[in-house]
Short mmCIF file of all heavy atoms in Angstrom, two decimals:
data_model
loop_
_atom_site.label_atom_id
_atom_site.label_comp_id
_atom_site.label_asym_id
_atom_site.label_seq_id
_atom_site.Cartn_x
_atom_site.Cartn_y
_atom_site.Cartn_z
N THR S 336 -1.22 -6.95 -4.23
CA THR S 336 -1.81 -6.88 -2.89
C THR S 336 -2.30 -5.46 -2.66
O THR S 336 -1.52 -4.56 -2.40
CB THR S 336 -0.78 -7.27 -1.82
OG1 THR S 336 -0.29 -8.57 -2.08
CG2 THR S 336 -1.41 -7.25 -0.44
N GLY S 337 -3.61 -5.28 -2.83
CA GLY S 337 -4.21 -3.96 -2.66
C GLY S 337 -5.65 -4.09 -2.25
O GLY S 337 -6.08 -5.15 -1.78
N CYS S 338 -6.42 -3.02 -2.47
CA CYS S 338 -7.83 -3.02 -2.05
C CYS S 338 -8.80 -2.76 -3.19
O CYS S 338 -10.00 -2.64 -2.98
CB CYS S 338 -8.04 -1.97 -0.96
SG CYS S 338 -7.26 -2.40 0.60
N GLU S 339 -8.30 -2.65 -4.42
CA GLU S 339 -9.11 -2.42 -5.61
C GLU S 339 -9.83 -1.07 -5.62
O GLU S 339 -10.82 -0.88 -6.31
CB GLU S 339 -10.14 -3.54 -5.83
CG GLU S 339 -9.53 -4.82 -6.34
CD GLU S 339 -10.55 -5.81 -6.87
OE1 GLU S 339 -11.56 -6.05 -6.19
OE2 GLU S 339 -10.34 -6.36 -7.96
N GLY S 340 -9.32 -0.13 -4.84
CA GLY S 340 -9.88 1.22 -4.86
C GLY S 340 -8.77 2.22 -5.07
O GLY S 340 -7.59 1.87 -5.05
N ARG S 341 -9.12 3.47 -5.29
CA ARG S 341 -8.09 4.51 -5.36
C ARG S 341 -8.65 5.80 -4.80
O ARG S 341 -9.83 6.11 -4.95
CB ARG S 341 -7.55 4.69 -6.77
CG ARG S 341 -8.53 5.13 -7.82
CD ARG S 341 -7.87 5.08 -9.21
NE ARG S 341 -8.79 5.47 -10.26
CZ ARG S 341 -8.86 6.69 -10.79
NH1 ARG S 341 -8.05 7.65 -10.35
NH2 ARG S 341 -9.72 6.97 -11.75
N THR S 342 -7.77 6.55 -4.15
CA THR S 342 -8.15 7.78 -3.46
C THR S 342 -7.14 8.86 -3.80
O THR S 342 -5.93 8.62 -3.74
CB THR S 342 -8.18 7.56 -1.94
OG1 THR S 342 -9.06 6.48 -1.63
CG2 THR S 342 -8.64 8.82 -1.21
N SER S 343 -7.61 10.03 -4.18
CA SER S 343 -6.69 11.13 -4.49
C SER S 343 -6.10 11.68 -3.19
O SER S 343 -6.65 11.49 -2.09
CB SER S 343 -7.41 12.24 -5.24
OG SER S 343 -8.30 12.93 -4.39
N LEU S 344 -5.00 12.39 -3.31
CA LEU S 344 -4.37 12.99 -2.13
C LEU S 344 -5.28 14.03 -1.49
O LEU S 344 -5.35 14.14 -0.26
CB LEU S 344 -3.03 13.62 -2.52
CG LEU S 344 -1.92 12.64 -2.90
CD1 LEU S 344 -0.69 13.40 -3.37
CD2 LEU S 344 -1.57 11.73 -1.74
N VAL S 345 -5.99 14.79 -2.31
CA VAL S 345 -6.92 15.78 -1.76
C VAL S 345 -8.04 15.08 -0.98
O VAL S 345 -8.42 15.51 0.12
CB VAL S 345 -7.51 16.65 -2.90
CG1 VAL S 345 -8.66 17.50 -2.38
CG2 VAL S 345 -6.44 17.53 -3.52
N ALA S 346 -8.56 13.98 -1.54
CA ALA S 346 -9.62 13.23 -0.85
C ALA S 346 -9.08 12.58 0.42
O ALA S 346 -9.81 12.46 1.41
CB ALA S 346 -10.19 12.16 -1.78
N LEU S 347 -7.82 12.19 0.41
CA LEU S 347 -7.21 11.62 1.61
C LEU S 347 -7.15 12.65 2.73
O LEU S 347 -7.47 12.35 3.89
CB LEU S 347 -5.80 11.11 1.29
CG LEU S 347 -5.00 10.53 2.45
CD1 LEU S 347 -5.69 9.28 3.02
CD2 LEU S 347 -3.57 10.18 2.00
N VAL S 348 -6.75 13.87 2.40
CA VAL S 348 -6.73 14.95 3.39
C VAL S 348 -8.14 15.20 3.93
O VAL S 348 -8.33 15.38 5.14
CB VAL S 348 -6.14 16.24 2.80
CG1 VAL S 348 -6.29 17.41 3.78
CG2 VAL S 348 -4.67 16.04 2.45
N ASP S 349 -9.13 15.20 3.06
CA ASP S 349 -10.51 15.39 3.49
C ASP S 349 -10.95 14.30 4.47
O ASP S 349 -11.60 14.57 5.49
CB ASP S 349 -11.46 15.39 2.29
CG ASP S 349 -11.31 16.64 1.43
OD1 ASP S 349 -10.76 17.64 1.94
OD2 ASP S 349 -11.76 16.62 0.27
N ALA S 350 -10.59 13.05 4.16
CA ALA S 350 -10.96 11.93 5.03
C ALA S 350 -10.29 12.05 6.39
O ALA S 350 -10.92 11.79 7.44
CB ALA S 350 -10.58 10.60 4.37
N LEU S 351 -9.03 12.45 6.41
CA LEU S 351 -8.31 12.61 7.67
C LEU S 351 -8.90 13.76 8.49
O LEU S 351 -9.04 13.66 9.71
CB LEU S 351 -6.82 12.83 7.41
CG LEU S 351 -6.06 11.62 6.86
CD1 LEU S 351 -4.64 12.02 6.49
CD2 LEU S 351 -6.04 10.48 7.87
#
Side-chain angles (χ1 to χ4, degrees):
T336 302
C338 291
E339 285 194 313
R341 62 187 179 97
T342 304
S343 71
L344 291 176
V345 170
L347 178 63
V348 172
D349 289 342
L351 291 173

